[in-house]
Amino acid sequence: AEQALTWQGSGVGALLVLGGALGYGFALIPAKRLAVQADALQLSAVRLLLGACFVLPLLFFQSPLIEGPIPGFVIWTLILYILTNFCIGYITQQAGLRYLKAWEAATVLQTVPLFTALFALIILRETVTLLQLLGGILVIAGGVMVALRASVSQEPEVGQH
């Protein structure tokens, strides 16, 4: 049990994920403002193009992951990943921002780590540590607290119509 609670790795990956989460959370504010002014498909295309411009130079510093020709299943997996995660995911998120407040969208997006963990357990056969389980419970509790707080603040007071 002690080994499950130890910190694995140097922490650089965790810091990068934290930085990405902070940037993503902040990005919901301008995305919400743009949702009423531009088409979701156009905004998603611009987002992906900007992201590619930042990531593309990093490819020159990476060693190849796969030596030789790339297997067909890898190419099809990448195509499926691009279509589901980036295309459909970004377009539906941007379209949903027309109907939700930015903080409501962020609350719904708190479920992403839960689905990621679920798919990792099912597809990759990964195991869950106690620390990961506690983190998942914390995410669920935070989402429930925000949802309950929002529903309480929207209820009319007694005697009001």
Side-chain angles (χ1 to χ4, degrees):
E2 258 184 67
Q3 187 177 11
L5 293 175
T6 58
W7 184 265
Q8 296 176 352
S10 65
V12 174
L15 290 175
L16 288 173
V17 169
L18 177 63
L22 289 172
Y24 189 76
F26 176 76
L28 284 175
I29 296 168
K32 171 66 179 167
R33 290 184 179 158
L34 288 173
V36 294
Q37 297 175 355
D39 183 50
L41 182 59
Q42 292 172 343
L43 285 175
S44 296
V46 170
R47 173 191 280 176
L48 292 173
L49 181 62
L50 287 173
C53 289
F54 283 103
V55 172
L56 189 61
L58 298 176
L59 291 176
F60 295 110
F61 302 106
Q62 296 293 317
S63 60
L65 296 174
I66 300 173
E67 298 292 333
I70 299 174
F73 78 92
V74 172
I75 293 172
W76 285 110
T77 302
L78 287 173
I79 291 171
L80 179 67
Y81 180 71
I82 290 167
L83 290 175
T84 57
N85 183 46
F86 293 110
C87 296
I88 295 172
Y90 283 164
I91 291 169
T92 54
Q93 175 193 331
Q94 196 62 40
L97 282 172
R98 291 179 187 247
Y99 305 104
L100 296 174
K101 298 174 184 168
W103 68 267
E104 290 173 329
T107 303
V108 172
L109 289 172
Q110 283 182 331
T111 62
V112 170
L114 299 176
F115 287 115
T116 302
L118 179 67
F119 291 137
L121 290 171
I122 294 170
I123 297 170
L124 300 175
R125 309 239 187 258
E126 290 190 10
T127 57
V128 179
T129 65
L130 179 61
L131 189 60
Q132 291 168 332
L133 185 63
L134 292 174
I137 292 170
L138 185 64
V139 168
I140 293 170
V144 168
M145 288 173 53
V146 169
L148 289 175
R149 174 86 173 148
S151 67
V152 168
S153 66
Q154 292 179 356
E155 290 179 7
E157 292 183 21
V158 178
Q160 289 185 343
H161 297 280

